[in-house]
Amino acid sequence: MSEKIALVTGITGQDGSYLAEQLLDKGYLVHGLIRRSSTFNTARIEHLYRDPHDPEARLFLHYGDLTDGTRLASLLERIGPQEIYHLGAQSHVRVSFDEPEFTGDVTGLGTTRLLEAIRMAEVPARFYQASSSEMFGATPPPQDEQAKFYPRSPYAVAKVYAYWMVRNYREAYGMFACNGILFNHESPRRGETFVTRKITMAVAAIATGRAHELYLGNLDAKRDWGFAPEYTDAMWRMLQADEPDDYVVATGTSYSVGDFVRMAFEHVGLDWEKYVKFDPRYLRPTEVDDLIGDASKAREVLGWQASVLPPELVGIMVDADIAAAGASA
Ligand code: NAP
Ligand code: G4F
């Protein structure tokens, strides 16, 4: 049987890098969309990359942007993927308040451009959409697939739009298109301005004497934090199912940002209150206070369950940042 071909948008991001690793391990040929940039943005996937002249090469990168629908269509025709994992997005909630129009264009319309490119190129690919627990916003927990969307940021509004476009293409054109409604998931590869990684990098810097303080915003918000590689496995499972559907992916646990801070400092034997300071610039005009996912459907239909919970996750991330600090010293 010939190898399966997958296309991953957002392959240079946290999730894209884990997903690419997992797909390559399963024997897929993996194609990734990357943005042209004057500096390299491929650090998270460098360990997977081989020169395309190498007969062993199984990962291929293509320049393209989610704002360029023509390019998406021509790439699809050339690659002919059986599975498309759409992870590319302006994914930072705080930034989306500063750049609402750009976020709508990339995170919202970008999904429509890709769906329409699939339709125009007549590629019979299965499609995964990186939907988000941010869509639930102000709806109280626990949140499952039936919970109401009440988005609280331009990012979340863009994700709600994209979610419904995926549903519409599934119903209108019979596309095998799924929404994975993923709650926060973190790892040592998490972007450095998301709160968990910002905390674990600061803890590593303070523990190794390279920093003395950490400025944060709202410590009271609660999140359901899981481990990213387990969540990319859930994405793959959705596209192997008999029917296309939408799934919540979460741990079902709840910790506040303050809890995460305390656990991270405790991991290196420090008292967080001596180092953490408040900076209002990290507050959001509207906040999402409380997210706890109910992933029963993913467990029952996909056989998926989270195994790494926040106390262990904190240790994994702090240890990795301390190791990285040692390596760069
Ligand atoms: P991430 O690390 O921020 O990665 C985002 C990816 O999108 C990067 O590869 C980025 O490329 C790419 N990208 C941004 N703008 C683009 C554009 N205009 N054209 C093409 N590519 C573009 O995000 P992540 O944490 O891996 O999350 C993956 C997806 O899941 C995102 O859609 C995010 O919104 C969604 N999500 C994430 C979580 C979470 O907790 N991590 C939860 C729910 C949903 P560069 O490297 O060049 O910037
Ligand atoms: O780490 P965050 O920036 O993640 P947020 O806003 O929950 O969004 C992430 O998860 C979503 C899934 O629910 C994804 F869809 C989205 O793409 C992204 O991956 O902030 C978490 C919490 C917020 O309540 C924020 O107000 O931490 C609070 N916070 C407090 N101080 C801070 C800071 N957040 C950041 N980024 N930086 C701070 O200094």
Side-chain angles (χ1 to χ4, degrees):
M1 215 173 72
S2 62
E3 296 142 316
K4 266 194 177 175
I5 301 172
L7 170 66
V8 181
T9 73
I11 195 166
T12 56
Q14 170 188 256
D15 291 5
S17 68
Y18 285 117
L19 180 66
E21 243 166 52
Q22 292 165 357
L23 293 173
L24 290 167
D25 280 350
K26 292 181 199 298
Y28 280 67
L29 287 181
V30 178
H31 292 261
L33 186 78
I34 61 167
R35 294 196 281 182
R36 149 76 188 145
S37 144
S38 67
T39 51
F40 285 115
N41 54 6
T42 48
R44 292 189 182 97
I45 50 170
E46 249 154 40
H47 62 294
L48 303 174
Y49 189 73
R50 290 189 182 200
D51 187 284
H53 302 99
D54 182 336
E56 302 287 308
R58 307 180 60 76
L59 169 65
F60 305 95
L61 301 178
H62 309 269
Y63 286 120
D65 198 288
L66 291 165
T67 55
D68 182 355
T70 315
R71 172 64 169 156
L72 297 176
S74 66
L75 262 182
L76 284 179
E77 273 170 10
R78 229 174 81 198
I79 296 168
Q82 283 103 7
E83 294 175 14
I84 298 172
Y85 296 87
H86 177 39
L87 313 182
Q90 190 304 90
S91 73
H92 202 284
V93 173
R94 179 66 192 84
V95 170
S96 79
F97 287 99
D98 299 329
E99 300 189 68
E101 184 182 332
F102 175 74
T103 302
D105 193 8
V106 173
T107 305
L109 273 177
T111 301
T112 303
R113 290 190 187 99
L114 191 50
L115 289 167
E116 192 58 5
I118 295 168
R119 195 169 77 86
M120 300 311 279
E122 297 182 13
V123 177
R126 295 186 170 202
F127 182 85
Y128 173 84
Q129 163 66 14
S131 284
S132 166
S133 52
E134 278 289 306
M135 301 189 304
F136 297 123
T139 295
Q143 295 99 358
D144 64 8
E145 293 80 5
Q146 308 309 321
K148 270 201 182 134
F149 295 148
Y150 188 156
R152 296 268 287 170
S153 65
Y155 166 80
V157 173
K159 284 287 185 185
V160 171
Y161 164 77
Y163 169 96
W164 281 111
M165 287 306 287
V166 170
R167 293 277 301 254
N168 184 248
Y169 272 62
R170 185 161 83 209
E171 292 164 14
Y173 307 118
M175 234 180 232
F176 193 111
C178 304
N179 281 291
I181 309 175
L182 273 50
F183 283 60
N184 298 52
H185 45 280
E186 320 292 316
S187 74
R189 296 186 199 169
R190 183 57 143 153
E192 297 176 8
T193 61
F194 295 96
V195 80
T196 56
R197 187 75 198 291
K198 183 173 166 183
I199 294 166
T200 61
M201 285 184 70
V203 166
I206 291 168
T208 51
R210 292 174 299 115
H212 307 284
E213 55 197 12
L214 164 62
Y215 285 92
L216 292 171
N218 178 14
L219 300 187
D220 295 329
K222 291 181 179 157
R223 290 289 182 275
D224 179 336
W225 280 296
F227 187 39
E230 297 188 336
Y231 285 50
T232 52
D233 172 53
M235 298 174 186
W236 177 78
R237 287 173 187 245
M238 283 178 220
L239 295 202
Q240 314 313 310
D242 293 337
E243 299 293 333
D245 210 338
D246 307 321
Y247 299 90
V248 158
V249 175
T251 69
T253 65
S254 169
Y255 290 84
S256 68
V257 174
D259 292 333
F260 197 103
V261 171
R262 180 183 44 75
M263 291 190 287
F265 277 90
E266 276 175 9
H267 191 71
V268 294
L270 294 175
D271 175 3
W272 70 275
E273 286 179 287
K274 291 189 180 146
Y275 303 96
V276 174
K277 299 193 170 138
F278 173 68
D279 185 337
R281 106 173 67 168
Y282 299 118
L283 296 178
R284 289 146 192 214
T286 40
E287 177 63 282
V288 170
D289 294 321
D290 203 355
L291 293 174
I292 310 174
D294 175 353
S296 307
K297 181 175 168 185
R299 189 179 63 242
E300 282 153 24
V301 181
L302 306 175
W304 182 90
Q305 195 165 5
S307 67
V308 177
L309 302 182
E312 186 185 354
L313 176 64
V314 169
I316 292 171
M317 292 178 70
V318 172
D319 289 345
D321 279 324
I322 288 178
S328 65

